[in-house]
Amino acid sequence: MLQSVEEIENSLMARVYQKLPIQVVKGKGALIWDDKGNEYIDCMGGYGVAIVGHCHPKVVKAVMKQAKRLMVCHCSLYNDVRTELLLKLNKITPNGLSVSYLCNSGAEANEAAIKLAIKHSGKRGIIAMTGSYHGKTFGALSATWDAKYRKSFEPLLSGFKFAKFGDLESLKKQITDDVAAVIIEPVQGESGIHIPPQNYLKKVKEVTKEMNVLLIADEVQSGFGRTGKVWACQHYNVTPDILCSAKGLGGGLPIGVMVSKQEIASSFKVGDHTSTFGGNPLSCAAASAAIDVLIEEKLPERADKLGNYFIKRLNELKMRHKIVRDVRGLGLMIGVELRFEVKNIILNGLKRGVLFLYAGRNVLRFLPPLVITKEQIDKVVEVLDSLLGEEERRRGLA
Ligand SMILES: *Cc1c(COP(=O)(O)O)cnc(C)c1O
């Protein structure tokens, strides 16, 4: 007989997730609680989903109201709540990107972008970046760099090539006549928080424009206020041709969006790309409320200010701990690279009331809700300070 929640999930659910040994039952702002009542500061944020905080009252209210009114409405019918979201998206997306395709996840938004680029250009080639992550469906996976995700499923889609992230010459060499688009994360997340050289994205935009190739910005992780501006592209004054968002956009509910310029969007004809759940009223109501919260609570500004503070405090830890190799980040998208694997730090963090996230074996990744407080950041730094010390002693480094 299966009894515990752990046993049931481990046996009745596809074992495709690296599990941590806690059962989370409640969340509020930047805090979550397990079934035993233990409290954690959530630096994982559902892998960057909980941008406006767990169970934000405005999102909860909007979802409850909409749940009672209408939950199912296919996009072949018009809907007031969806319209409201489209207008709000139009206000926060970069100028010129006005046409949205609504879907349910980050990978789906990228699939739509890849298909649109192919349809619009009549070409098949896509250039992605070394270290990229775009999701695990076949198209998105074909644009994803890491061999550990790709290997078992090759051959993937043909026509995908990789340029070295941050290296303009490498990109120029890859842009041949058959290339439809370049897809890039303005700040790379999954591969360990990598920020490109200051002028790089601007140059990528110039090169793609010159070569008549579309630029797709995958802002699924870096977008929606995370890096200190609504979109990470805005740090570099770059407007992509197509922008993808998901994760935090729904205030916790599943939603993704691909936005593009009108003249590109019009290459999609009726039936070219659709989704049964895409644009459903419940997710739309949640995203609508999440956008209001993002603007009203000035969360991008908050991410900028608190991110700088967090990075400054983490750099102090780097000075004190040999085990820390590098600290890097933009807003509240932060990576701390260690000289050893981060597994122990994460497991021991749980015992000290902090939920950390990893990116690869050696990087601690911080994607907390943007409503996290300075005091909560101080607590995280204090816990990490002592965990790093313990790890150093264990490894005979201190
Ligand atoms: C998480 C992520 C995705 C995939 O999103 P899913 O919702 O898991 O499909 C795609 N791109 C980036 C940059 C991401 O961080």
Side-chain angles (χ1 to χ4, degrees), residues 223-364:
F224 211 61
R226 171 63 64 198
T227 66
K229 296 198 184 285
V230 178
W231 309 105
C233 282
Q234 294 166 333
H235 286 286
Y236 308 103
N237 290 317
V238 164
T239 304
D241 299 297
I242 302 176
L243 183 145
C244 296
S245 172
K247 290 209 163 89
L249 177 62
L253 257 65
I255 189 168
V257 65
M258 174 208 42
V259 254
S260 66
K261 298 179 180 168
Q262 168 65 48
E263 65 268 28
I264 300 167
S266 59
S267 291
F268 262 172
K269 302 299 179 209
V270 170
D272 273 344
H273 198 65
T274 59
S275 159
T276 301
F277 282 121
N280 75 82
L282 199 60
S283 292
C284 287
S288 222
I291 293 175
D292 288 346
V293 171
L294 188 82
I295 308 292
E296 283 163 14
E297 299 188 11
K298 297 189 166 63
L299 294 182
E301 290 90 333
R302 191 181 168 91
D304 178 54
K305 224 170 70 201
L306 287 176
N308 283 332
Y309 176 71
F310 205 162
I311 291 168
K312 183 185 107 206
R313 298 286 330 264
L314 291 167
N315 269 311
E316 290 165 16
L317 296 188
K318 185 184 159 202
M319 306 277 273
R320 274 210 296 285
H321 297 281
K322 284 191 219 123
I323 194 176
V324 178
R325 180 181 279 150
D326 192 24
V327 174
R328 47 187 183 252
L330 196 58
L332 284 170
M333 185 171 180
I334 302 170
V336 175
E337 186 174 333
L338 303 188
R339 295 182 196 281
F340 299 98
E341 55 180 48
V342 297
K343 205 173 101 199
N344 283 330
I345 305 269
I346 291 174
L347 291 173
N348 292 329
L350 293 176
K351 294 175 197 151
R352 309 283 296 271
V354 178
L355 176 60
F356 293 106
L357 175 63
Y358 61 90
R361 289 161 64 86
N362 286 13
V363 179
L364 284 171

Side-chain angles (χ1 to χ4, degrees), residues 2 103 116 127 132 160 172 192 205 254 266 349 384 391-392:
L2 297 170
C103 54
L116 179 60
I127 300 175
S132 61
F160 284 71
K172 282 184 184 165
K205 172 70 194 182
S266 59
L384 185 59
E391 191 66 14
E392 282 172 332

